[in-house]
Amino acid sequence: MGSFTKMNTVGRDTEAKYECLLFDMDDTLYPLSLGVNLACRNNIEEFMLQYLNIEESEVSRMCLELYREYGTTMAGLKALGYEFYDDEFHAYVHGRLPYEKLRPDPVLRNLLSSLPHRKIIFTNADKAHAQQVLKRLGLEDCFEGIICFETLNPPLEPADITDVGSVCSKPPILCKPSPEAFKAAIRITNVDPKKTIFFDDSARNIASAKEAGLHTVIVGRSVLVPGADYALSSIHNIKEAIPEIWDGEEEQMEQVIQSSAMETVVLA
C-alpha cells in the first residue's frame, strides 16, 4: 500500500469547513456525452461473450443487472463464479477505449489548482485506466493520490484464501457503492468525512457516500438525488454552485498554488 504525497499546507486554517475533495473520475471529470462509458460497456459485453462464453442473448441483460446489484459487472461476474484474471479483464475493457476522445481541459485544471485542499481520485477502475484518463485530460499532477481497483483489491496472500470443501473461496471484489469501499477509502486516505466533499455522477454512490458521513455532490445533473447536498450540471460549475469551498482560503491561495505541483500517487 502506497502513502500519500502531502501538499504544502503552511498557513492553512485548520478550522476550514472543508479539508479534502474526493472525486470520482469517469463521467465526472469529463462528460458522459463523450461516449467513453458506452465504449466501456460494449467492451465488457464482448469480453463476456468471447472469454466467458455467455450466451449472446443474455449478455446485455446480465451486464446491466450485475452492475446494478454488485456495483460493477466485473464484481458480479466474480460473485457468480466466473474465473478470469483481473488484469486480463481490465486490459480488454479499458485498454481498447477511445482515449483520443479525451482532450486536455485547461479550465478544469485551473479550477482544481485554485482549490487549496487535498484532492484525491476515488474510482472503481484499474490504475492504468485512471492514469491514462488523467494524462489525457492534462490533470495528472492535480491530485494527491488515486484510490483505484488495486487499492481496494490488492493481490491476495495464500492465508487470505479459504477452502470451502474443495473450492477455494476468495473475498468478493470491493468497489463503490459498497459501504465497505467508502469506509476503506476514508481509512486509507485518513480524511475526516465531516470535512470531505465527494463528487460522483452515480446516484447510488452518492447515497453510500452520504451514509459514510461525507458531504456529497452529484455531477452531471441539475437536480438533487437522494443523499446529495449539491447538484452540478458540469464539474466546471463548482465555484458557482459551492462558493463556500473557497471561504477563508483567499489569503492563502497564492501560496498553496505555488507549492501544489506534485506527482499523483496511486495507492496500490
Side-chain angles (χ1 to χ4, degrees):
M1 197 74 70
S3 60
F4 277 112
T5 297
K6 300 294 185 182
M7 76 187 321
N8 185 346
T9 56
V10 175
R12 286 289 305 278
D13 180 2
T14 57
E15 297 304 317
K17 184 175 181 180
Y18 302 116
E19 295 178 351
C20 180
L21 308 180
L22 194 60
F23 292 87
D24 174 50
M25 185 180 66
D26 293 304
D27 303 326
T28 295
L29 297 185
Y30 63 87
L32 175 68
S33 59
L34 290 183
V36 177
N37 181 288
L38 179 60
C40 185
R41 180 176 173 180
N42 289 339
N43 289 345
I44 293 173
E45 292 185 359
E46 286 184 18
F47 183 89
M48 294 168 66
L49 181 65
Q50 298 183 19
Y51 285 79
L52 304 181
N53 298 315
I54 297 174
E55 289 291 335
E56 184 173 4
S57 60
E58 294 293 308
V59 165
S60 183
R61 177 189 61 79
M62 277 187 65
C63 182
L64 185 57
E65 290 182 357
L66 293 178
Y67 171 79
R68 288 173 174 170
E69 183 172 354
Y70 294 95
T72 67
T73 303
M74 178 187 186
L77 290 169
K78 292 275 190 174
L80 292 182
Y82 287 96
E83 295 185 1
F84 51 88
Y85 291 109
D86 297 343
D87 290 345
E88 179 182 51
F89 179 90
H90 289 136
Y92 193 91
V93 170
H94 293 139
R96 301 162 64 247
L97 289 175
Y99 287 115
E100 66 277 3
K101 292 186 177 182
L102 301 176
R103 301 295 178 85
D105 188 340
V107 173
L108 180 55
R109 180 180 178 83
N110 289 337
L111 181 60
L112 292 172
S113 296
S114 75
L115 290 163
H117 307 71
R118 297 179 66 192
K119 293 180 285 291
I120 301 166
I121 293 291
F122 181 20
T123 176
N124 282 336
D126 63 297
K127 65 179 180 181
H129 173 68
Q131 290 172 331
Q132 179 71 250
V133 169
L134 293 179
K135 181 179 180 180
R136 292 275 182 166
L137 294 174
L139 307 176
E140 62 266 43
D141 60 346
C142 291
F143 298 93
E144 175 183 326
I146 301 171
I147 299 176
C148 58
F149 177 87
E150 291 90 342
T151 315
L152 300 180
N153 302 277
L156 296 175
E157 299 293 335
D160 296 325
I161 302 175
T162 58
D163 290 326
V164 181
S166 59
V167 179
C168 288
S169 177
K170 300 179 181 180
I173 286 178
L174 192 59
C175 61
K176 296 181 292 184
S178 163
E180 289 73 22
F182 281 93
K183 292 176 183 177
I186 290 170
R187 183 184 69 253
I188 292 167
T189 56
N190 192 30
V191 299
D192 179 355
K194 295 179 181 179
K195 292 191 174 185
T196 301
I197 308 182
F198 175 65
F199 298 77
D200 202 298
D201 65 292
S202 165
R204 59 187 185 160
N205 290 348
I206 289 294
S208 290
K210 176 54 66 176
E211 289 181 9
L214 299 165
H215 298 275
T216 53
V217 183
I218 184 72
V219 180
R221 306 194 190 195
S222 57
V223 296
L224 296 175
V225 298
D229 297 310
Y230 303 93
L232 302 180
S233 57
S234 166
I235 195 68
H236 296 107
N237 297 340
I238 295 177
K239 197 159 190 176
E240 292 81 4
I242 323 175
E244 57 265 38
I245 293 180
W246 282 263
D247 287 352
E249 302 288 358
E250 296 298 332
E251 61 208 35
Q252 294 98 2
M253 190 75 71
E254 184 65 27
Q255 174 185 353
V256 176
I257 290 175
Q258 290 175 354
S259 62
S260 64
M262 73 192 88
E263 179 183 355
T264 298
V265 176
V266 179
L267 296 187

